[in-house]
């Protein structure tokens, strides 16, 4: 029996919470008539994470400073645990309810399910007890490009995923590019690292709102050793990763990891970021990297920097760009948050993210609800 994971709660108090930190209209909602199994005595909070990271203490419901006692950190779409690469705490997480019905057999979002789902309709997933997870996760580095750009194939060869692309923001933060990976060849069993790559960029120079109409290519430089290589798409040249501060995209391999990085967050000191992946059939029709072709709305805030995370990157809380609209739809997954993975008596919480748009309609204001729960084994 795993003593760490057998944590039981005292019932949450049904009290009203004052607005705090970056939130508004924050309260603990009333009880559902379901015998106490789900929907009862939960906290609900809107967090204004549009401009800066907000740090939440789940026990108090208060937004605190970055050096305070926090469990979760929010910055627009990003959610972090206070552990590993994100903080000096011991917070761990797991998925309590996958909400698999929001996706088809191929893992693609079910449009009708996402569009038709409501916070009230998905409240019954917020139960008072959950089985002990098979494993817990702490935070690590998360790249804005994600890991959906490559695939592990026959013979241990990693190659590019075809027919997708990305929008990329430069290190300076004032120019952009449309990017696709035409070739990525990493024969993992040869021991020589990445053998070849070809990334194609169409640049939107600073001060403009239109892609240039011509492309520049980033291929492995002369004397490439199979590790890291960097590209400045404004200049259209490969640059030295160690000495350049203006690189925009880094492709590489180290240890057991291969990656694409933007010059941002834990990856670099710049203001870079990325948006995607987007099907190439759709992305190839874009005339701007900062304006939505269909709606005329700005895409600037949709770019994500490299960050730290783990659970919420591996099991995202939303689907993006449904119906060709650059908006987010929550999948109402339930996450389990262990407030101290080394203390068997520390509380564990169930948490859902139920909205991303504030009462003013602006993005970057995640609304969450959570409650203290207990964990059960098959013996109980």
């Amino acid at each position: 029996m795993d003593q760490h994971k057998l944590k039981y709660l005292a019932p949450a108090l049904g009290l009203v919470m004052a607005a705090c930190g970056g939130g508004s209209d924050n309260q603990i909602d009333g009880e559902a008539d379901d015998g106490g199994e789900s929907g009862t005595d939960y906290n609900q909070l809107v967090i204004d994470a549009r401009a800066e990271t907000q740090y939440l203490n789940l026990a108090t419901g208060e937004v605190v400073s970055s050096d305070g006692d926090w469990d979760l950190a929010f910055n627009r779409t990003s959610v972090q645990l206070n552990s590993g690469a994100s903080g000096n705490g011991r917070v761990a997480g797991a998925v309590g309810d996958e909400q698999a019905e929001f996706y088809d057999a191929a893992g693609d979002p079910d449009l009708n399910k996402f569009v038709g789902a409501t916070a009230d309709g998905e409240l019954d997933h917020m139960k008072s007890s959950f089985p002990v997870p098979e494993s817990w996760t702490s935070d690590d580095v998360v790249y804005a490009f994600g890991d959906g750009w490559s695939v592990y194939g026959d013979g241990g060869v990693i190659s590019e995923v075809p027919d997708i692309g990305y929008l990329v923001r430069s290190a300076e933060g004032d120019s952009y590019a449309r990017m696709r990976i035409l070739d990525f060849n990493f024969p993992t069993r040869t021991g020589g690292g990445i053998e070849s790559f070809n990334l194609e960029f169409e640049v939107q120079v600073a001060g403009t709102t239109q892609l240039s109409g011509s492309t520049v290519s980033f291929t492995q430089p002369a004397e490439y050793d199979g590790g890291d290589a960097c590209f400045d798409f404004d200049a259209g040249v490969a640059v030295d990763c160690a000495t350049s501060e203006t690189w925009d995209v880094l492709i590489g391999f180290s240890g057991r990891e291969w990656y694409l990085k933007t010059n941002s967050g834990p990856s670099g000191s710049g203001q870079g970021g990325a948006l995607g992946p987007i099907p190439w059939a759709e992305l190839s029709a874009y005339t701007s990297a900062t304006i939505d072709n269909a709606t005329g709305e700005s895409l600037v805030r949709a770019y994500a920097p490299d960050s730290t995370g783990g659970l919420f990157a591996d099991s995202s809380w939303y689907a993006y760009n449904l119906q060709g609209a650059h908006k987010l739809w929550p999948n109402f997954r339930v996450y389990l948050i262990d407030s101290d993975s080394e203390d068997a008596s520390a509380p564990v919480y169930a948490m859902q993210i139920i909205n991303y748009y504030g009462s003013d309609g602006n993005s970057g204001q995640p609304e969450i609800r959570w409650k203290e729960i207990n964990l059960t084994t098959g013996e109980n």
Side-chain angles (χ1 to χ4, degrees):
M1 184 178 300
D2 191 331
Q3 295 299 317
H4 156 53
K5 295 172 182 172
L6 290 180
K7 297 184 177 181
Y8 298 90
L9 63 86
L13 296 175
L15 47 86
V16 175
M17 189 182 271
C20 56
S24 62
D25 298 330
N26 310 313
Q27 64 180 20
I28 296 178
D29 283 357
E31 296 183 357
D33 186 14
D34 58 3
E37 174 59 18
S38 66
T40 61
D41 299 328
Y42 61 88
N43 307 282
Q44 189 158 318
L45 181 66
V46 177
I47 300 173
D48 188 345
R50 290 174 290 181
E52 61 183 2
T53 303
Q54 302 285 351
Y55 301 87
L56 178 65
N57 181 306
L58 292 173
T60 65
E62 294 179 346
V63 174
V64 299
S65 64
S66 60
D67 59 356
D69 184 11
W70 60 275
D71 300 297
L72 298 175
F74 298 84
N75 190 312
R76 302 196 64 81
T77 61
S78 172
V79 186
Q80 299 170 335
L81 303 172
N82 188 355
S83 60
S86 295
N88 58 11
R90 299 190 295 244
V91 178
V95 175
D97 191 326
E98 190 70 33
Q99 292 282 51
E101 64 270 24
F102 278 75
Y103 299 87
D104 62 22
D108 296 321
D110 182 325
L111 177 62
N112 292 330
K113 181 64 177 178
F114 270 93
V115 173
T118 65
D120 287 345
E122 301 302 321
L123 179 58
D124 61 339
H125 296 274
M126 287 284 289
K127 299 178 180 178
S128 295
S129 63
F130 287 83
V132 173
E134 292 184 3
S135 62
W136 294 91
T137 298
S138 297
D139 272 10
D140 204 344
V141 175
V142 177
Y143 304 119
F145 287 113
D147 56 10
W149 58 271
S150 65
V151 60
Y152 189 91
D154 294 340
V157 177
I158 300 169
S159 58
E160 77 283 357
V161 172
D163 304 322
I164 62 169
Y166 294 83
L167 297 175
V168 190
R169 185 171 58 214
S170 69
E172 294 84 356
D174 59 2
S175 58
Y176 300 81
R178 174 170 55 200
M179 184 196 89
R180 64 171 169 167
I181 306 169
L182 298 176
D183 173 66
F184 183 73
N185 182 23
F186 180 13
T188 60
R189 297 174 186 174
T190 66
I194 300 168
E195 187 171 292
S196 63
F197 59 83
N198 183 5
L199 280 61
E200 181 183 82
F201 297 83
E202 183 174 348
V203 180
Q204 178 176 310
V205 301
T208 70
T209 59
Q210 297 292 311
L211 293 163
S212 66
S214 60
T215 60
V216 294
S217 294
F218 175 33
T219 59
Q220 63 277 7
E223 301 181 359
Y224 176 60
D225 63 2
D228 290 354
C230 288
F231 191 66
D232 181 339
F233 61 65
D234 289 310
V237 296
V239 295
D240 187 285
C241 297
T243 61
S244 172
E245 295 183 355
T246 61
W247 65 267
D248 302 310
V249 172
L250 183 157
I251 191 167
F253 158 71
S254 179
R256 300 175 62 86
E257 182 186 20
W258 63 99
Y259 38 73
L260 269 173
K261 301 180 182 182
T262 67
N263 193 337
S264 62
S267 299
S269 59
Q271 302 175 55
L275 172 59
I278 302 171
W280 186 251
E282 175 186 342
L283 185 59
S284 61
Y286 282 34
T287 58
S288 173
T290 51
I291 300 174
D292 188 315
N293 282 7
T295 67
E297 297 178 354
S298 173
L299 296 177
V300 172
R301 287 189 174 272
Y303 285 78
D306 288 11
S307 62
T308 60
L311 173 64
F312 296 92
D314 295 337
S315 299
S316 176
W317 60 268
Y318 64 88
Y320 175 71
N321 201 32
L322 300 180
Q323 300 177 311
H326 292 285
K327 295 186 180 297
L328 306 184
W329 282 261
N331 56 25
F332 299 98
R333 279 182 171 144
V334 179
Y335 300 93
L336 306 181
I337 310 299
D338 185 342
S339 59
D340 189 335
S341 59
E342 297 182 14
D343 181 355
S345 65
V348 176
Y349 302 91
M351 189 273 285
Q352 277 182 320
I353 303 177
I354 62 175
N355 191 19
Y356 185 61
Y357 301 91
S359 58
D360 56 5
N362 290 323
S363 63
Q365 302 175 75
E367 183 172 4
I368 70 170
R369 59 189 177 200
W370 75 97
K371 61 187 295 183
E372 192 174 346
I373 55 103
N374 64 351
L375 298 176
T376 62
T377 67
E379 301 172 5
N380 294 332

